[in-house]
C-alpha cells in the first residue's frame, strides 16, 4: 500500500483504519480455528490415554477363583495378613 499523500492510489485514513479492523477480525478468526484444532489434538491424546488404560489386563485374573453363595456369609468379615500397595509405589503399603 502506497502511503504518500499526493499519490493517486494512496489510501485515506478511513481506508487504513478499515483495513486494520478487517485484518484484526481475520486474524482473530484464524486464531480461533487454531485454538479449536489445538483443543482437538489435546482431546485426542487424552482419549488415547483412556483407551490405553482400558486395555490393561489386571495382574489378578478376575474370572477365576471361588464363587461364594450368599448362604455362606454370616455378616462378619475379618481380614488377616492382608496387604496392598499400588504398583507405582510398591514400598508404601496403603492397606
Amino acid at each position: 500500500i502506497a502511503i504518500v499523500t499526493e499519490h493517486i492510489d494512496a489510501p485515506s485514513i478511513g481506508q487504513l483504519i478499515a483495513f486494520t479492523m478487517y485484518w484484526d477480525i481475520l486474524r482473530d478468526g484464524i486464531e480461533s480455528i487454531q485454538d479449536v484444532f489445538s483443543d482437538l489434538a489435546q482431546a485426542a491424546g487424552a482419549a488415547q490415554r483412556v483407551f490405553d488404560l482400558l486395555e490393561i489386563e489386571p495382574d489378578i485374573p478376575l474370572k477365576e477363583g471361588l464363587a461364594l453363595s450368599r448362604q455362606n456369609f454370616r455378616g462378619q468379615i475379618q481380614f488377616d495378613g492382608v496387604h496392598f500397595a499400588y504398583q507405582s509405589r510398591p514400598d508404601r503399603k496403603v492397606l
Side-chain angles (χ1 to χ4, degrees):
I1 297 176
I3 305 175
V4 180
T5 54
E6 300 296 324
H7 195 274
I8 227 171
D9 293 330
S12 67
I13 296 296
Q15 289 173 327
L16 286 173
I17 291 172
F19 173 78
T20 304
M21 291 175 67
Y22 287 134
W23 181 255
D24 284 343
I25 291 170
L26 178 67
R27 184 179 42 95
D28 289 344
I30 291 172
E31 285 178 2
S32 295
I33 291 171
Q34 288 175 337
D35 290 342
V36 167
F37 282 116
S38 174
D39 291 344
L40 286 173
Q42 186 177 4
Q48 182 61 48
R49 176 70 177 136
V50 169
F51 292 134
D52 289 344
L53 289 173
L54 290 174
E55 290 177 359
I56 293 176
E57 291 292 327
D59 293 338
I60 301 170
L62 300 177
K63 298 188 181 200
E64 295 178 9
L66 299 174
L68 300 175
S69 67
R70 291 183 185 246
Q71 297 167 354
N72 294 340
F73 292 113
R74 296 191 184 130
Q76 294 181 353
I77 298 176
Q78 183 175 351
F79 294 100
D80 290 326
V82 176
H83 302 284
F84 176 78
Y86 290 102
Q87 290 178 351
S88 60
R89 301 174 103 179
D91 57 327
R92 186 172 181 188
K93 304 266 190 252
V94 293
L95 181 66

